[in-house]
Amino acid sequence: MKKSILVLCGMLLTSGMAHATNQADLLDVKTYKAEYETAISLYQQKDYTNALPALEVMAQRGEKKAQYILGTMYLNGQGTAQDLMKSYAWLSVANEQKNKHWKRPLNMLNDKLPADYLTIVSEEADKYQALYGVKAQKMKCRNIKTLGSKKPTHMCMKSEVKDGYYYVAGQSVAAN
C-alpha cells in the first residue's frame, strides 16, 4: 500500500513538473497578437532593421505571413545582407499556406539556383519545416471562404493549446 502511494505521489510530482515546463512554452493571445501586429507594422513602415528580428520571432512561432515576408527580406537584402539559404528555407515553410502568389519567389529560386546548391538549401528548408512548420508550432490549416469569393482560401492559423494561450516554443536554427 505504501509503495502504491509513493508511486502515485511520484507520478503526480512528475506530471506537475512537466506542466510547469510547458508553461514556459505558452504566451497569452493578447500579447502574442500585439507582438505580431508590431512586427508587421515595422515592415509596412519600411523599418527593415527593426522589422527583421521581430518578424524572425513570429516566423519561428509558425506565422505564415511572417515567414513569407522574412523569406522575401532575405531574398531582397532588406535589413540584412542577401541570404538565399534563409530565403529559400523561410519561403518553403511559408508555402504550407498554399498561396499561389507566395509560390512565385520560391519557384524563381528553384529555377535560378544551381542543382547542387538547391540540394543544400532544400535540406535547410526541411530543418526549418521540422521546427517552424504547422505541426511543430501547433497550428491548424483549413480552407476558409472569404466574403465576395466563391473559391476558399487555404489558411494556417495558431490554435489555442490552453484557454487564452498559444504555443510559442521552438529551437532557433534561423539565428545560425
Side-chain angles (χ1 to χ4, degrees), residues 79-147:
T80 184
Q82 184 182 53
D83 188 329
L84 296 180
M85 185 171 300
K86 285 184 180 182
S87 176
Y88 190 91
W90 281 124
L91 290 169
S92 295
V93 178
N95 273 287
E96 283 179 306
Q97 184 130 325
K98 298 180 184 172
N99 182 317
K100 67 179 181 179
H101 301 291
W102 291 6
K103 206 119 172 89
R104 288 180 187 145
L106 188 60
N107 287 341
M108 184 210 54
L109 287 170
N110 279 319
D111 292 343
K112 303 269 182 195
L113 294 175
D116 56 336
Y117 190 65
L118 199 52
T119 301
I120 295 167
V121 295
S122 293
E123 289 172 4
E124 188 71 5
D126 290 343
K127 290 177 190 175
Y128 277 54
Q129 186 79 37
L131 291 170
Y132 312 122
V134 167
K135 288 181 184 176
Q137 292 303 314
K138 302 184 186 337
M139 299 183 78
K140 292 184 180 175
C141 298
R142 62 187 176 148
N143 288 327
I144 298 173
K145 289 190 176 183
T146 54
L147 189 62

Side-chain angles (χ1 to χ4, degrees), residues 30-45:
K30 188 177 181 180
T31 303
Y32 182 95
K33 287 182 177 181
E35 289 179 8
Y36 180 68
E37 288 173 13
T38 298
I40 298 297
S41 178
L42 287 167
Y43 178 76
Q44 290 170 338
Q45 295 167 16

